[in-house]
Amino acid sequence: MLRTIPAIGITLLLALVLVAAISSGQAYGADTGWCDPSAYVNSGWTNPSYAYTSNDQYADADNDGDIVQYYNFDIPTIPSGSTINGIAVSIEGYRSGVLFLVNARQADVSLSWNGGSSYTSGSEGLKRTDMQTAETTETLGGDGGDAADDWGRTWSDTEFTNANFRVRLDAIASGELNKHLYIDQVQVRVHYTLPTTTTSISADLSDPITYGDNITFTATVTGSAGSNTPSGTVTFMDGATTLGTGTLSGSGLTATATFSTTALTVGTHASITAVYAGDSNFSGSTSSSISRTVNAKALTITASNISKTYGDTYAFAGTEFTTSGLVNSDTVTSVTLTSAGAAASATVAGSPYSITPSAAVGSGLANYSIGYSDGSLTVGQRDLTVTATGVNKVYDGTTSATVILSTDALGGDDVTASYGGATFADKNVGAGKAVSVTGI
């Protein structure tokens, strides 16, 4: 909370901030957010608990040597093995006295990593506030462009527990009395970089493979530090195309993920990689690439055997075939089929005729080396009907009869019909009398 107060007021903001190093050109991966204390050890300050939150109630120091140690910041657990890049302490408050008081009350701020037994010191580890007479917020440890301020020491992720980490404020004013430093809130934020990982990729089938082969890729993700195991998923990429994902499983600092596929298309896949996006404990990484060449798979299309009757024309639908070798739900929907036996004029004597397949149409066929196998078309004999028509005669006392023969032979076919004999059922005169014909 920021407010303007009379000249006797003092504004003090102490912030310990871990910020990404500007000179590096990249931000750190994570921070804990601002954390508030809930406990203190006091020597000389009045109402130290008032600095837990920003509420216009103030912890007050009015003598040199007044010391307060704040702890129990409930800093979220920092992943094991993380690099601590910087620590920021934010202090909100003000000081009493005239605006340009030379010996105004300030505080030297230091940090403990072992429950108050030791504190940072020296030019980097001991930082002095610069409170003014108007309440404001001051940040120490991440200010002035020095975003990677670690307060002069290398920190471990285990040193930010409630039991270990403390912020100490030592009131100073060059020996002068009755000058006050008022603190409204103390907060801490820690910036850190997750442990790095390295990712590698391998395949169970050597180069080259055949389209439809089931190839399994294995990604191995190894963490650089800490006590956690990389978790989450790995994405397997073919250039810019996602092949699929695998879930990591392992122990210690190493975990593996696999992905199997039969769908690598024909050609050279020159940049197959494994991409690990990272998790809450590790940063991500991408493997170097491996290459696999995929050769065409053999596909045989065989024309089905067909039969028809002499004189009929057979019209191919394009579906009279079988296949051998299709994978991955690829399909052949039609082929071009030709045969000399399909014409109506194809004779029985020339049977069987070859059926030749070609020009397959379907899905995924660019991945195949297509071979065609002929079928056969058999022409069967056609039934020939001979019709006898009786010829009228004058009664002659005999049963002899004469008939005229006709056939349903196809046009162009030369068929001659003959018979051995024809007789009426009796010799009597009559109309529409049946005639029996033999020897046709």
Side-chain angles (χ1 to χ4, degrees):
M1 183 175 298
L2 180 63
R3 67 185 184 88
T4 301
I5 59 176
I8 61 171
I10 302 177
T11 299
L12 174 61
L13 171 62
L14 175 58
L16 177 56
V17 184
L18 176 59
V19 184
I22 302 301
S23 61
S24 70
Q26 66 184 107
Y28 297 126
D31 67 70
T32 61
W34 288 109
C35 303
D36 306 316
S38 62
Y40 63 86
V41 175
N42 182 43
S43 176
W45 285 66
T46 303
N47 299 320
S49 65
Y50 286 0
Y52 291 168
T53 60
S54 177
N55 58 5
D56 286 340
Q57 298 185 73
Y58 303 92
D60 176 9
D62 62 357
N63 282 295
D64 290 357
D66 288 351
I67 299 172
V68 62
Q69 303 173 49
Y70 287 104
Y71 63 102
N72 282 8
F73 284 88
D74 289 330
I75 296 172
T77 300
I78 297 172
S80 176
S82 294
T83 299
I84 307 304
N85 305 118
I87 306 167
V89 176
S90 171
I91 299 181
E92 179 183 356
Y94 67 97
R95 65 171 173 81
S96 66
V98 297
L99 184 60
F100 301 108
L101 189 64
V102 174
N103 294 320
R105 182 79 59 199
Q106 300 292 343
D108 285 336
V109 181
S110 56
L111 308 179
S112 176
W113 59 93
N114 56 10
S117 297
S118 306
Y119 278 89
T120 56
S121 60
S123 60
E124 295 183 43
L126 189 65
K127 303 181 189 299
R128 181 163 297 179
T129 62
D130 186 20
M131 294 294 102
Q132 304 300 314
T133 57
E135 183 170 348
T136 187
T137 299
E138 182 179 359
T139 300
L140 299 180
D143 226 2
D146 187 9
D149 191 332
D150 59 9
W151 294 66
R153 73 181 303 271
T154 299
W155 294 78
S156 165
D157 56 83
T158 61
E159 294 172 335
F160 294 92
T161 63
N162 283 343
N164 287 331
F165 185 77
R166 295 190 179 191
V167 176
R168 172 170 149 170
L169 277 66
D170 293 345
I172 57 98
S174 300
E176 297 194 23
L177 302 178
N178 301 319
K179 296 189 175 89
H180 291 260
L181 183 62
Y182 299 98
I183 304 301
D184 194 3
Q185 185 177 30
V186 175
Q187 292 182 297
V188 169
R189 179 165 66 187
V190 181
H191 289 259
Y192 57 91
T193 299
L194 293 172
T196 60
T197 58
T198 56
T199 298
S200 62
I201 186 173
S202 62
D204 63 337
L205 298 182
S206 58
D207 209 19
I209 65 173
T210 299
Y211 175 69
D213 286 350
N214 188 6
I215 186 170
T216 298
F217 297 104
T218 299
T220 301
V221 179
T222 303
S224 62
S227 59
N228 297 304
T229 301
S231 64
T233 59
V234 173
T235 301
F236 294 86
M237 303 292 295
D238 180 8
T241 300
T242 298
L243 294 175
T245 60
T247 301
L248 284 169
S249 176
S251 61
L253 287 172
T254 301
T256 60
T258 62
F259 171 74
S260 299
T261 182
T262 60
L264 286 183
T265 56
V266 166
T268 299
H269 300 260
S271 183
I272 300 173
T273 57
V275 180
Y276 176 51
D279 61 12
S280 59
N281 296 312
F282 294 96
S283 61
S285 56
T286 299
S287 71
S288 58
S289 64
I290 61 174
S291 174
R292 283 298 180 273
T293 297
V294 181
N295 294 330
K297 179 177 176 61
L299 169 63
T300 301
I301 300 176
T302 303
S304 301
N305 294 328
I306 302 296
S307 62
K308 70 160 196 168
T309 299
Y310 169 71
D312 291 345
T313 299
Y314 188 86
F316 288 105
T319 57
E320 300 90 340
F321 63 88
T322 59
T323 62
S324 175
L326 286 172
V327 294
N328 294 331
S329 300
D330 296 335
T331 61
V332 178
T333 55
S334 68
V335 298
T336 298
L337 297 165
T338 58
S339 175
S345 60
T347 64
V348 173
S351 178
Y353 296 87
S354 293
I355 302 173
T356 303
S358 62
V361 176
S363 62
L365 299 186
N367 296 301
Y368 297 89
S369 174
I370 302 176
Y372 295 96
S373 180
D374 290 353
S376 64
L377 191 156
T378 301
V379 180
Q381 292 181 332
R382 186 181 189 86
D383 292 338
L384 179 68
T385 301
V386 179
T387 302
T389 304
V391 178
N392 294 338
K393 78 170 188 172
V394 177
Y395 175 75
D396 62 2
T398 69
T399 60
S400 66
T402 301
V403 296
I404 298 172
L405 299 179
S406 62
T407 71
D408 63 352
L410 297 177
D413 288 344
D414 185 11
V415 177
T416 300
S418 63
Y419 65 97
T423 60
F424 289 106
D426 57 51
K427 66 180 181 177
N428 300 324
V429 173
K433 294 177 71 70
V435 178
S436 297
V437 182
T438 61
I440 294 176

